[in-house]
Amino acid sequence: MKISYNWLRKYLPVQISVQEAAAILTSVGLEVEDITPFESLKGGLKGVVVGEVLSCIPHPNADKLKLTTVNIGTENILKIVCGAPNVAVGQKVLVATIGTTLYPTDGESITMKKAKIRGEESEGMICAEDELGLGHSHAGIMVLPNETKVGTTASAYFQIYNDEIIEIGLTPNRSDAFSHLGVARELGAWLAVHQSEALPVMGFINPTKNILFETTKNIDFNIEIENKEKCGRYCGIFLNQVTIKPSPEWLQNNLKAIGVRPINNVVDATNYILHATGQPLHAFDAAKIAGNKIIVKNANAQTVFVTLDNKERKLSTDDLMIYDAEKPMCIAGVSGGVYSGVSETTTSIFLECALFDSTSIRKSSFYHQLRTDAALHFEKGIDVKNVDSVLKYAIQLICEISGAEIGSQIFDVNNLNDSPIEILLKQNRVNEKLGIELSAKTIETILINLGFELTDNKNNSWSVKVPSHKTDIKIEADLIEEILRLYGLDKLPIPTGLQAIIPIRAGIQANALRNKAANYLAANGFAEMMNNSLSQSKYYDQKENLVFLLNSLNTELDILRNNILMGGLEAIVHNQNRQNPDLKLFELGKIYSKVEAANYDEQMQLGIWMTGKFAPQSWHQSSQVNDIYILKNQLQKLFAMLGIQKYKTEEIEASNIFEYGIKYLDGKHVIAESGIVNKNILTQFNIKNEVMFAFINWEMVEKKAANKNIKYTELPKFPAVQRDLALLLNEEITYAQVEKIAKEQTGSLLKEISLFDIYRDKKIGEGRKSYAISLVLQDETKTLTDDKLEKQMSKLIQQFETQLQAEIRK
């Protein structure tokens, strides 16, 4: 949330610096994340002053340049080379002095330095309109009126608006502070409690209070609320003789400072009131309201409605709409319609100020992807008792800046039961919870300044009425939190010791296993990351199993992630775009899916990503590119380290995720899948290199690790024997088939098998290949004799020939 410091100061009872305001706001729970300067013109024309041209002669070395001397009100007269055709003696001009940075209307910034131009010294620049960023003209230098005082700063002459913008990280529960007045209320309360014992109720300056005017015209106009649950209150008034024109400069500057684009005086007024008070308003062109009627009701399904951004939107029956007697005019609390909005030809308006249901507004806002300022305020909650007073404030402002006249009575349809919540608060409970001794006067001062109403203190307790702007206060604990906020967290005593009971749970073992896997991967060059559990539904073609969010604050992050892959790819493209293409990453996190209409499932997965080079080039080795075999090797080592030794593998044909891959199974249960990420997905992310990816079902890992029995054996006393074989095979035979036969035939004698060469050549035939494998055999109980070894190898070769139609290359 952006708060203009100049704007905020209008509502404060005493003036404090922006740094003081930021410190106070942070201390009361409105964390200030940044303070940034704002200037109505970039650079603020700092260093630019009014000068008078004293002399002007032709440049001796350039036909189109002139040598001038300029008085800028200092002791030194400046020598400036000028190329403008209209420069002349006696002119009052704008001079950019040495060190000044200019921000032209077009092009990059320019910093003034001493220079020699065609051999003549130049100590600044006499500026044209576009060079100062004031317009687009470059026909010549700007010439000011003769009465302009030499030495006047350009910022003062053009009345450049300067401000400080306070960026507040507003939490969702603080709707009461979602405006300039709301922030002023917090500051005023803190100042009263901490700086003014003589003024126990300091408060803040609220321009919406005590506005009095007469509405003598009563016109025949009807407002009907059909859906009273979604619209608790609807107020409005007609204003005639409206002149649509640009807003006053002060109003435009206030809006620009907080990032709101000025449009015209009426629309700007509604935006100003919104950000001042937190209450949205909407202005209709009164001439376009048919039938002297406004109806608040749900939309008809599939009705096409064109919003103010000129986009057609199909309405849902869940959308609350503002209709006239014939047509829809506005998606309530979200966006007006283009056909009923205020335009240059508008001469009378109907000004709406209403209270709509926050859930309804949120649904419509997300459904239509219209995250307007009005919708955001309605979502968080509106002060139910502030509607009519804000409307009067808006009437006053619009009449002032547009010349409007009041054209009707104020219409007010109120279906609210706005009786305040009452909470019993006991002094001893406050002190017990906070661990300090607060006086009754301190408690009363804090709560009164925050807008709470208290009955007289009886038996050290109060009946506290919650003000309508504090939508987050429901119970006694909430009141105690309010007291603590204003009293100061930093004033609570720090205990000298802490007592805690740490239970031993099964979760400790699970965490140890996770740490073991993370430590192994980190030790092998992988970087751990933690991605957002929120993801984008656009990544998925099939959306039936996705878990959509009902109240996302970001229109793109609309689901809980359905797999762990996409977040890693986002990290890869982020690094790729910053010249960091060689990555080895891992993440342990949850994924979510929808099982049935109201049933959801979440699973823990370990994701591993590899792309670019596995190892960089060095003097003793060439660079090695990540591939599926390196990933397979890493997975197998990880499984061995975690104690997972019994599993089978299957090939994965091309799928939505993989171009090619390997599946690791325990019976029918999938332990992991790994492979080369589908090129279509990489294209979607604009990733240039191949990406190797594996996801591991962590629940299966934990289950198998829990069932693992650790066995210890002594080191073997008898030697191992290595034998190599070269098998000529058909192309479709896989190494997994070779490995399976070797393990079945040699049993416990086989300690290691590896593939150390693959050879293809026309000499061995089309569709044929040669695998060179190495086998290490060992009998742990006795020496493996040559006779037994030869029998074992003969038996193995026979099975290769029988099952795989292999030929043994000599």
Side-chain angles (χ1 to χ4, degrees):
M1 178 180 69
K2 292 182 178 180
I3 294 293
S4 157
Y5 176 60
N6 288 348
W7 191 345
L8 181 65
R9 287 195 302 177
K10 298 176 185 177
Y11 309 136
L12 294 179
V14 296
Q15 296 306 303
I16 57 175
S17 71
V18 66
Q19 288 77 19
E20 288 175 312
I24 294 169
L25 291 173
T26 299
S27 74
V28 298
L30 302 178
E31 183 181 0
V32 174
E33 298 175 338
D34 198 9
I35 301 173
T36 55
F38 172 82
E39 297 159 329
S40 56
L41 185 71
K42 188 173 182 181
L45 298 181
K46 292 182 179 70
V48 180
V49 296
V50 175
E52 181 179 4
V53 180
L54 302 179
S55 66
C56 180
I57 61 173
H59 192 296
N61 303 317
D63 294 339
K64 295 184 178 181
L65 299 179
K66 295 174 182 176
L67 303 181
T68 69
T69 57
V70 183
N71 173 23
I72 61 169
T74 60
E75 293 181 1
N76 298 325
I77 303 299
L78 302 183
K79 299 176 182 179
I80 298 176
V81 177
C82 182
N86 64 328
V87 65
V89 173
Q91 290 174 334
K92 298 294 177 63
V93 294
L94 291 165
V95 179
T97 56
I98 299 301
T100 298
T101 299
L102 298 180
Y103 298 88
T105 303
D106 300 307
E108 297 181 355
S109 61
I110 307 166
T111 300
M112 295 297 106
K113 298 178 181 178
K114 277 190 176 182
K116 280 196 173 183
I117 302 175
R118 295 290 182 94
E120 296 294 332
E121 189 174 285
S122 186
E123 300 174 305
M125 184 170 75
I126 304 175
C127 301
E129 180 181 285
D130 65 330
E131 291 166 337
L132 295 170
L134 293 169
H136 294 276
S137 174
H138 195 69
I141 58 170
M142 289 188 73
V143 180
L144 305 181
N146 286 333
E147 62 270 18
T148 308
K149 185 179 178 181
V150 170
T152 302
T153 63
S155 61
Y157 181 82
F158 290 104
Q159 296 182 340
I160 302 301
Y161 179 78
N162 296 287
D163 200 351
E164 299 281 348
I165 306 305
I166 304 170
E167 188 79 32
I168 296 176
L170 192 70
T171 52
N173 64 313
R174 293 305 306 276
S175 62
D176 62 299
F178 198 13
S179 65
H180 284 74
L181 282 171
V183 173
R185 181 192 295 113
E186 292 286 302
L187 286 171
W190 190 93
L191 291 168
V193 171
H194 293 274
Q195 293 190 354
S196 181
E197 292 184 4
L199 293 173
V201 183
M202 184 173 287
F204 63 104
I205 302 167
N206 189 345
T208 69
K209 299 300 182 185
N210 304 319
I211 297 176
L212 301 174
F213 56 81
E214 293 184 6
T215 55
T216 56
K217 292 184 179 180
N218 290 323
I219 67 170
D220 184 18
F221 189 80
N222 191 27
I223 295 175
E224 297 178 6
I225 301 178
E226 289 190 6
N227 191 331
K228 293 181 175 59
E229 291 183 0
K230 290 186 177 181
C231 179
R233 189 175 186 184
Y234 192 98
C235 297
I237 192 171
F238 282 92
L239 301 178
N240 300 329
Q241 306 302 319
V242 175
T243 301
I244 303 299
K245 59 184 178 181
S247 297
E249 192 170 351
W250 70 265
L251 177 51
Q252 293 195 42
N253 285 334
N254 278 177
L255 294 178
K256 288 177 183 177
I258 59 171
V260 178
R261 179 175 63 88
I263 298 172
N264 59 54
N265 51 354
V266 171
V267 174
D268 293 351
T270 61
N271 284 330
Y272 179 84
I273 299 294
L274 166 64
H275 291 283
T277 68
Q279 170 68 54
L281 302 100
H282 185 69
F284 298 97
D285 188 328
K288 296 174 182 177
I289 301 176
N292 271 3
K293 181 182 288 188
I294 276 183
I295 308 169
V296 185
K297 64 178 182 177
N298 284 62
N300 298 321
Q302 300 302 307
T303 300
V304 176
F305 181 70
V306 183
T307 46
L308 284 171
D309 56 3
N310 278 305
K311 291 184 179 179
E312 289 188 352
R313 303 180 189 275
K314 286 187 178 180
L315 300 178
S316 160
T317 53
D318 287 333
D319 291 327
L320 185 67
M321 301 292 295
I322 310 300
Y323 281 80
D324 62 15
E326 298 174 356
K327 61 187 180 298
M329 297 192 298
C330 178
I331 303 176
V334 179
S335 176
V338 71
Y339 301 120
S340 62
V342 173
S343 66
E344 293 178 356
T345 60
T346 299
T347 58
S348 62
I349 65 170
F350 179 78
L351 186 62
E352 164 197 287
C353 190
L355 180 67
F356 301 117
D357 175 65
S358 59
T359 303
S360 172
I361 300 303
R362 185 186 301 118
K363 285 182 178 179
S364 291
S365 176
F366 277 100
Y367 179 76
H368 296 291
Q369 294 188 353
L370 274 169
R371 304 297 291 151
T372 59
D373 285 337
L376 290 173
H377 280 78
F378 276 122
E379 285 176 17
K380 290 185 181 295
I382 299 298
D383 186 343
V384 298
K385 291 186 177 179
N386 209 29
V387 176
D388 57 337
S389 57
V390 170
L391 178 62
K392 291 176 183 178
Y393 182 35
I395 294 167
Q396 186 182 65
L397 177 60
I398 292 173
C399 289
E400 176 187 328
I401 65 176
S402 73
E405 296 179 357
I406 295 171
S408 73
Q409 69 273 36
I410 291 178
F411 301 95
D412 189 351
V413 182
N414 190 347
N415 299 309
L416 290 172
N417 176 14
D418 53 5
S419 299
I421 296 173
E422 291 195 41
I423 301 171
L424 179 64
L425 179 67
K426 297 181 179 181
Q427 183 180 354
N428 64 341
R429 288 279 292 168
V430 174
N431 293 332
E432 177 187 321
K433 291 296 182 183
L434 299 184
I436 53 179
E437 290 296 324
L438 293 183
S439 67
K441 181 181 177 182
T442 300
I443 294 172
E444 289 175 352
T445 301
I446 290 172
L447 292 177
I448 290 171
N449 275 280
L450 288 172
F452 294 88
E453 290 184 28
L454 284 70
T455 61
D456 293 336
N457 185 355
K458 294 179 180 179
N459 299 321
N460 295 320
S461 66
W462 302 266
S463 177
V464 182
K465 289 184 179 180
V466 179
S468 55
H469 64 268
K470 293 297 293 182
T471 57
D472 61 325
I473 305 300
K474 307 294 183 186
I475 57 176
E476 182 190 51
D478 296 330
L479 289 176
I480 296 174
E481 182 183 355
E482 292 294 289
I483 295 166
L484 175 59
R485 284 197 309 108
L486 265 290
Y487 177 74
L489 282 164
D490 56 334
K491 290 187 175 181
L492 292 183
I494 299 174
T496 55
L498 293 173
Q499 293 183 349
I501 299 174
I502 303 174
I504 298 175
R505 303 186 304 272
I508 294 175
Q509 182 181 353
N511 288 334
L513 193 67
R514 294 173 190 180
N515 290 337
K516 191 175 183 181
N519 290 337
Y520 170 81
L521 290 167
N524 281 273
F526 288 82
E528 185 174 9
M529 59 181 175
M530 183 179 293
N531 286 309
N532 197 340
S533 292
L534 304 182
S535 186
Q536 303 182 45
S537 60
K538 69 178 184 180
Y539 293 151
Y540 304 90
D541 294 328
Q542 302 296 325
K543 296 181 169 49
E544 292 80 8
N545 296 329
L546 301 181
V547 180
F548 283 87
L549 303 180
L550 295 177
N551 59 346
S552 172
L553 298 178
N554 186 312
T555 53
E556 291 189 342
L557 301 177
D558 57 344
I559 62 166
L560 291 170
R561 60 182 175 187
N562 189 249
N563 65 44
I564 208 165
L565 168 64
M566 304 305 182
L569 295 182
E570 289 175 339
I572 288 172
V573 74
H574 181 84
N575 279 271
Q576 171 193 281
N577 294 341
R578 287 156 180 80
Q579 290 78 49
N580 186 24
D582 306 324
L583 299 166
K584 293 185 287 183
L585 307 169
F586 75 95
E587 179 187 10
L588 187 63
K590 287 186 177 182
I591 64 168
Y592 309 85
S593 60
K594 186 177 181 180
V595 181
E596 296 173 356
N599 289 328
Y600 300 90
D601 181 50
E602 61 180 63
Q603 293 181 359
M604 183 70 73
Q605 280 191 355
L606 172 62
I608 299 174
W609 296 260
M610 300 172 69
T611 186
K613 295 176 183 177
F614 178 77
Q617 184 174 351
S618 67
W619 64 271
H620 64 90
Q621 69 176 20
S622 59
S623 63
Q624 189 178 7
V625 177
N626 283 302
D627 60 27
I628 193 173
Y629 304 107
I630 294 176
L631 177 59
K632 178 183 177 183
N633 180 260
Q634 292 291 332
L635 279 179
Q636 288 177 338
K637 288 181 178 178
L638 177 62
F639 288 162
M641 188 272 300
L642 295 173
I644 302 172
Q645 296 178 346
K646 292 184 179 180
Y647 54 85
K648 62 179 181 178
T649 59
E650 290 182 2
E651 288 188 49
I652 301 174
E653 300 297 332
S655 66
N656 291 335
I657 295 179
F658 295 115
E659 291 280 335
Y660 169 79
I662 302 169
K663 187 181 294 185
Y664 299 82
L665 300 167
D666 177 24
K668 295 181 180 180
H669 301 290
V670 176
I671 302 173
E673 291 186 12
S674 67
I676 306 169
V677 176
N678 191 301
K679 291 179 181 177
N680 293 331
I681 297 178
L682 299 183
T683 300
Q684 183 181 356
F685 281 84
N686 196 27
I687 294 175
K688 299 170 184 177
N689 295 333
E690 273 192 341
V691 176
M692 310 302 133
F693 170 65
F695 68 85
I696 299 171
N697 184 338
W698 194 252
E699 293 173 5
M700 281 293 298
V701 170
E702 290 180 340
K703 183 178 178 182
K704 289 184 72 66
N707 295 330
K708 180 186 70 173
N709 293 319
I710 299 175
K711 294 181 180 180
Y712 299 90
T713 58
E714 63 178 333
L715 293 172
K717 299 177 182 178
F718 303 98
V721 180
Q722 179 177 328
R723 289 289 185 268
D724 296 339
L725 288 176
L727 306 176
L728 192 59
L729 302 161
N730 291 331
E731 189 64 54
E732 66 271 12
I733 300 299
T734 65
Y735 173 70
Q737 292 174 276
V738 174
E739 186 179 54
K740 181 182 177 183
I741 292 171
K743 288 180 178 179
E744 287 175 349
Q745 296 304 315
T746 56
S748 62
L749 292 180
L750 184 65
K751 301 303 178 185
E752 186 179 331
I753 178 172
S754 60
L755 175 67
F756 64 87
D757 187 47
I758 301 175
Y759 176 72
R760 293 179 177 87
D761 194 273
K762 292 181 180 179
K763 295 179 181 178
I764 62 175
E766 292 289 340
R768 302 278 280 174
K769 62 184 175 183
S770 174
Y771 275 178
I773 63 173
S774 177
L775 302 105
V776 176
L777 298 104
Q778 184 182 42
D779 191 331
E780 296 178 357
T781 60
K782 57 182 181 295
T783 301
L784 188 61
T785 63
D786 290 342
D787 182 53
K788 184 175 181 180
L789 181 62
E790 291 305 320
K791 287 181 180 179
Q792 188 67 57
M793 291 302 297
S794 297
K795 182 179 176 183
L796 179 58
I797 290 169
Q798 181 184 4
Q799 291 302 316
F800 284 150
E801 292 172 338
T802 302
Q803 296 187 43
L804 304 179
Q805 289 75 52
E807 295 179 27
I808 308 303
R809 299 180 67 196
K810 304 296 185 183

